[in-house]
Each structure stands twice: as structure tokens, then as C-alpha cells.
Amino acid sequence: ETDAAIEALLSSDAGTGDAVREPEDPRATETMREALEQGRTLEGSLATLLVETATGNLIAAAIGAKGVDVEVAAAATAELARQKPRVEERIGLKDAFEEVLLTSARRYYLLRPVGSDGRMFLLLVLDRTKANLTAAQEGLAAIGRALR
């Protein structure tokens, strides 16, 4: 039941094709597009998104499969990303979370803040049956470093 709720919130069958979405910000660089493209090379990758935390707006995306509603995924996971500082404080962390992992029966959703200010985060959506989670975590960390 929980898996179905997450899937309903974060995906739909009306996804986009195998294209890289152009960043809405005209100042976005080739580095951003190249970094997000790295996400498409990860085994089991369905989409790699760069999202504005405060609004949930999609800044850029590299989409590797149909069936991921990237706008909904960005907005829904931004709500979770905005809670991150409160969770860290409540559990008394001395350092910040590096990433957050959501799992459903079919997918992994891996969130990683970009930079130290928390204004943006990366979201990597993976097919759970095909993904290598450790490799995906390492790949997402490399993408984050490239975007700093």
C-alpha cells in the first residue's frame, strides 16, 4: 500500500522520452547538461533531475525512460528535501545528511543536496530490478561534485 502511494505520487505512465530537458535558466552551462547526462549512464537509471528545493521547480533533467513524471517527482521530493534540516536537528546530527533514499517495490528515489546552501538537490530515479544502488550512490555523488 505504501509502495503504491509513493508510485502514484512520484510517477505516471505519461513520461517524456529519452531527451535531456533544456534548463529553464538560460545561464545554465554545458557542464550542467553533461553532469546530468552522467546519470543516464548509470545502470537502471530512469531519470536524473536537478530541482530547486524551495519551490520544487525542475531546473534541468536527463530522462532515460518513459513512465517518470518528472514535474511531479520534482515537486513531491522537494517537500521531503525541505524537511531535511528539521530532521537533522531533531535527531541531533552533528553533520548533514549526504543523501536520502526512498524505496518502493519498483523504484529507488535517491536525493542528494547540491552545494552547502541546500537551494538545489539532485534526484536520481532508478528501476529497482536493474539498478546497482552502490554504483548509483557513487555516481550521484560524482554528479553533485560536478555541479558545485
Side-chain angles (χ1 to χ4, degrees), residues 24-94:
E24 290 181 18
D25 181 352
R27 297 169 294 167
T29 64
E30 186 65 25
T31 303
M32 180 187 299
R33 286 188 295 276
E34 288 175 4
L36 291 175
E37 272 296 321
Q38 288 177 16
R40 284 178 41 154
T41 67
L42 298 171
E43 190 172 346
S45 175
L46 301 174
T48 307
L49 314 177
L50 181 62
V51 181
E52 183 180 29
T53 304
T55 63
N57 288 336
L58 184 61
I59 298 168
I63 304 162
K66 293 183 179 183
V68 178
D69 185 333
V70 295
E71 300 288 340
V72 171
T77 55
E79 290 182 39
L80 179 61
R82 286 191 295 271
Q83 297 300 317
K84 182 181 152 306
R86 285 183 218 118
V87 172
E88 290 169 342
E89 182 181 327
R90 291 200 66 179
I91 62 176
L93 283 181
K94 303 237 187 290

